[in-house]
Amino acid sequence: MAHNLADLFEHAVDAYGADRLAVVEDERRLTYADLEAEANRWASALSSLGVGAGDHVGVHLRNGVDCLALILGVLKLRAVTISINYRYSGPELRYLYDYSDTSVLVFHREFGAAVTEAVSGLDAIRHTIVVEDGSGVDTLPDGALPARETLDAASAGRPGLERSGDDLYLVFTGGTTGKPKGVMWRQEDLWRSLGGGADYHTGEPVPDEYHQSKAGLGGDPLRYLILLPLIHTSGIMPSFTGLFAGGTMHYLPHFRAADVLEEIESEKIQVAVVAGDAMVRPLVDQMRRTEPDTSSMFMVSSGAALFSPSVKADLLGLRPDLMIMDAFGSSESGFGGLGVVTKANLDDGSLFSDHGPRIPRGTTLQLVDDLDEPLPDDSAEIGWIVKSGYQPSGYYKDEAKSAETFREVAGSRRVFTGDRGRYDGPDTIIMLGRASQVINSGGEKIFAEEVEAALKAVAGIEDAVVFGVPDERFGHRVGAVVQWSAPSPDGSPASPDSTSDAAGHPGDLDAVGLALREHLAGFKIPVAYWVVDRVERHPSSKTDYGWARRLVAERAPDHDRRTDAAGTA
């Protein structure tokens, strides 16, 4: 047997069968045997449509049983899943379908109109399959096959294929700074990096491919609530890790704070997988209002998005016994580092510097200068964070970008993560932020993520995006899009959950600037602000910088200190 994601899942099925619950979505509760039967039906149905090894299947679905079973079914055929951002529409969606060479597309009915427009004239898409979701959308592509009828006619037997650890898994970047790109991973390397196939701290491989399924036999299954989208590695890889070890995965198709806390309370969830501030802030506000019983939960695991110290402190203030796992990484680097946060080490300030989080270097992270030369451990210079170890083979259909991102340093291949950092002793790196979001203001380098974290810590601000705006004197200054917290029923500031359409209350942006000066140098304070009802983010909760750029291009700022005679630089 190979170190292949489908094989590893089948090992878990062989170990747990019909005796253990694998996945829960509302009233759908499938054992490991049930989940495999559904995945096998997907494999059989797709095979009957001509899908085989190496073919690309688009997954345009929200979280749930159908999404998970489809992904497993595609992998069983040695085919390749194409993760579709379900917030895309029009040209973005058409570009991704075309660029990814999708040949069969599976989508939820709610996306029918966008899918119909995007697939028109794309001859490479041979078949479309619609999964019912109760939305009642009428517009569907011609010839779209009904998923349930197609699956009911398919075989539930396990495909008899010999797979390989070399089988391709394509991970798609969020397209935060441009068009999305496919990152090509060998499945064994992806498993080693993000699926529990190696120790996260040392990189030491597990003894064999049965290690995880055997380990899960020793006790009761862990109950996970996966709130990150399965179309993103931060959602699917924790799901695989949990399934390989016999855990039970819980999914909600939509993120609503009240529904999340109800699921935690009623299902006795133990581990919640979230996307930093974007999910935890509304959860904290809902916990304050309703005081649910979350005592079953002992861990919150975050990835893919900023999880600022102020929001961690708010959560630990309500649940001081919680452990927070804050993972650092990307589609290109895989696992990059792990911060373990408790109330004790958050209170003592050891996890964060004045500029960013401290992350353990482990055996894979290093800093290099602009000439790709390694920086000494005692260097105070800001460098590029590079990673060795398990990594992708490159970008799909982009040799030039592959050569730029994956290159030799001191005789070994490294991933250039695009992040900037500074050593903080021999074992730790202070992560400063993405180089693509650095603002050069009169020669001063300002990291957008530092300013975003400071803005989110200001009372009354729910969310923020920071970027450079042109400036005649300094070249660029700091600009920000901000979302005010909506007032709670008792009049105190509170965050709306992700489905609220309440417009934020008017705020005092001069007061925001004064509050920021307690934590930031003056040149880092935004000079221009755009106020919005909601900051738009990708399904993974990563910042949608494309949306922010379009916004500032279309309208003047709501407040600009440079045009105020009382404003000071």
Side-chain angles (χ1 to χ4, degrees):
M1 300 292 283
H3 294 151
N4 178 284
L5 298 172
D7 291 340
L8 292 159
F9 171 66
E10 290 178 356
H11 295 342
V13 173
D14 294 340
Y16 306 112
D19 297 326
R20 186 171 292 191
L21 198 60
V23 58
V24 175
E25 179 201 355
D26 296 328
E27 301 304 314
R28 300 181 74 180
R29 308 175 77 87
L30 277 64
T31 67
Y32 273 78
D34 295 333
L35 177 58
E36 181 180 42
E38 191 74 350
N40 290 343
R41 290 187 190 97
W42 274 112
S44 173
L46 292 170
S47 179
S48 71
L49 296 175
V51 175
D55 288 325
H56 292 190
V57 177
V59 181
H60 195 149
L61 300 171
R62 292 188 183 272
N63 278 11
V65 171
D66 292 308
C67 187
L68 181 62
L70 170 62
I71 291 171
L72 289 167
V74 172
L75 297 177
K76 280 171 171 280
L77 290 178
R78 304 187 66 188
V80 181
T81 57
I82 303 299
S83 299
I84 307 298
N85 184 334
Y86 46 71
R87 289 186 181 166
Y88 284 174
S89 61
E92 289 179 314
L93 199 53
R94 186 179 180 84
Y95 167 82
L96 184 52
Y97 290 163
D98 184 43
Y99 159 71
S100 65
D101 298 314
T102 294
S103 61
V104 174
L105 175 66
V106 184
F107 64 96
H108 269 133
R109 180 176 280 273
E110 69 169 297
F111 307 121
V115 169
T116 300
E117 178 186 2
V119 302
S120 177
L122 287 182
D123 295 336
I125 296 183
R126 304 193 306 267
H127 302 282
T128 58
I129 303 174
V130 57
V131 176
E132 295 300 332
D133 54 17
S135 65
V137 172
D138 292 330
T139 305
L140 298 175
D142 292 340
L145 302 171
R148 193 67 261 164
E149 292 178 22
T150 303
L151 294 176
D152 287 346
S155 169
R158 181 178 290 182
L161 293 178
E162 183 174 342
R163 308 180 189 100
S164 169
D166 293 331
D167 287 353
L168 175 65
Y169 196 102
L170 268 178
V171 173
F172 284 85
T173 63
T176 54
T177 58
K179 292 180 178 179
K181 298 180 291 293
V183 182
M184 301 184 295
W185 283 85
R186 291 179 63 249
Q187 286 193 28
E188 179 174 358
D189 288 335
L190 187 61
W191 170 54
R192 298 288 192 196
S193 179
L194 287 170
D199 185 280
Y200 286 124
H201 298 284
T202 67
E204 184 70 22
V206 297
D208 58 52
E209 63 194 284
Y210 301 96
H211 175 77
Q212 289 165 285
S213 57
K214 289 177 182 176
L217 292 169
D220 293 332
L222 281 177
R223 296 179 295 279
Y224 298 81
L225 178 55
I226 308 293
L227 297 173
L228 282 156
L230 288 169
I231 59 171
H232 195 276
T233 49
S234 56
I236 190 61
M237 293 313 296
S239 297
F240 283 158
T241 304
L243 286 171
F244 297 162
T248 301
M249 305 296 113
H250 292 250
Y251 300 102
L252 299 170
H254 300 271
F255 176 85
R256 300 182 180 95
D259 294 346
V260 170
L261 293 171
E262 181 182 351
E263 187 81 2
I264 291 171
E265 186 169 9
S266 63
E267 297 289 344
K268 307 300 180 189
I269 298 297
Q270 295 166 296
V271 179
V273 179
V274 303
D277 294 357
M279 290 183 176
V280 175
R281 291 192 78 154
L283 289 173
V284 165
D285 290 337
Q286 185 72 11
M287 290 168 70
R288 287 173 174 156
R289 288 195 291 268
T290 62
E291 299 183 355
D293 179 5
T294 62
S295 58
S296 61
M297 187 170 62
F298 68 86
M299 182 187 296
V300 169
S301 177
S302 178
L306 176 69
F307 199 173
S308 57
S310 60
V311 178
K312 288 173 180 167
D314 287 343
L315 177 60
L316 291 172
L318 295 174
R319 284 290 314 276
D321 56 328
L322 271 180
M323 178 186 297
I324 296 174
M325 307 294 282
D326 197 2
F328 303 91
S330 67
S331 302
E332 293 87 347
S333 67
F335 176 75
L338 188 66
V340 181
V341 185
T342 63
K343 192 172 190 309
N345 63 18
L346 185 66
D347 288 344
D348 68 21
S350 61
L351 296 176
F352 298 92
S353 71
D354 292 337
H355 302 287
R358 291 183 170 96
I359 60 173
R361 288 178 60 183
T363 59
T364 62
L365 295 183
Q366 187 178 25
L367 294 179
V368 300
D369 63 19
D370 290 342
L371 299 177
D372 296 356
E373 293 294 329
L375 294 176
D377 290 350
D378 59 355
S379 173
E381 184 179 342
I382 293 175
W384 298 92
I385 300 177
V386 299
K387 178 182 177 292
S388 58
Y390 306 109
Q391 55 191 262
S393 58
Y395 289 103
Y396 188 60
K397 298 199 275 191
D398 196 337
E399 293 184 5
K401 183 64 175 175
S402 298
E404 177 186 336
T405 303
F406 306 96
R407 53 188 195 257
E408 292 272 322
V409 171
S412 67
R413 189 173 187 265
R414 309 294 175 98
V415 182
F416 278 67
T417 66
D419 292 311
R420 301 283 270 168
R422 179 189 293 123
Y423 283 135
D424 187 40
D427 302 319
T428 307
I429 291 174
I430 296 173
M431 181 174 284
L432 300 174
R434 298 288 292 177
S436 60
Q437 303 306 322
V438 171
I439 302 160
N440 188 332
S441 182
E444 297 283 1
K445 301 296 192 297
I446 303 165
F447 289 89
E449 291 180 2
E450 179 188 3
V451 183
E452 287 176 3
L455 276 166
K456 292 179 186 180
V458 174
I461 291 184
E462 174 71 14
D463 204 354
V465 179
V466 169
F467 42 83
V469 294
D471 185 86
E472 290 184 2
R473 180 180 176 188
F474 295 99
H476 285 86
R477 297 286 291 273
V478 178
V481 175
V482 296
Q483 172 188 330
W484 299 115
S485 302
S488 66
D490 63 5
S492 61
S495 302
D497 69 24
S498 70
T499 63
S500 171
D501 59 0
H505 62 76
D508 185 342
L509 288 165
D510 288 324
V512 169
L514 290 174
L516 289 175
R517 286 183 184 275
E518 297 180 14
H519 306 282
L520 297 175
F523 64 85
K524 298 179 182 180
I525 308 298
V527 297
Y529 295 87
W530 287 257
V531 179
V532 296
D533 292 344
R534 181 175 306 283
V535 168
E536 294 295 333
R537 293 184 173 273
H538 291 285
S540 63
S541 293
K542 287 186 177 182
T543 302
D544 188 343
Y545 286 103
W547 164 81
R549 286 194 296 269
R550 291 190 296 272
L551 173 76
V552 302
E554 291 169 358
R555 62 179 244 209
D558 296 285
H559 179 71
D560 193 328
R561 290 194 289 121
R562 296 169 296 182
T563 60
D564 181 354
T568 58

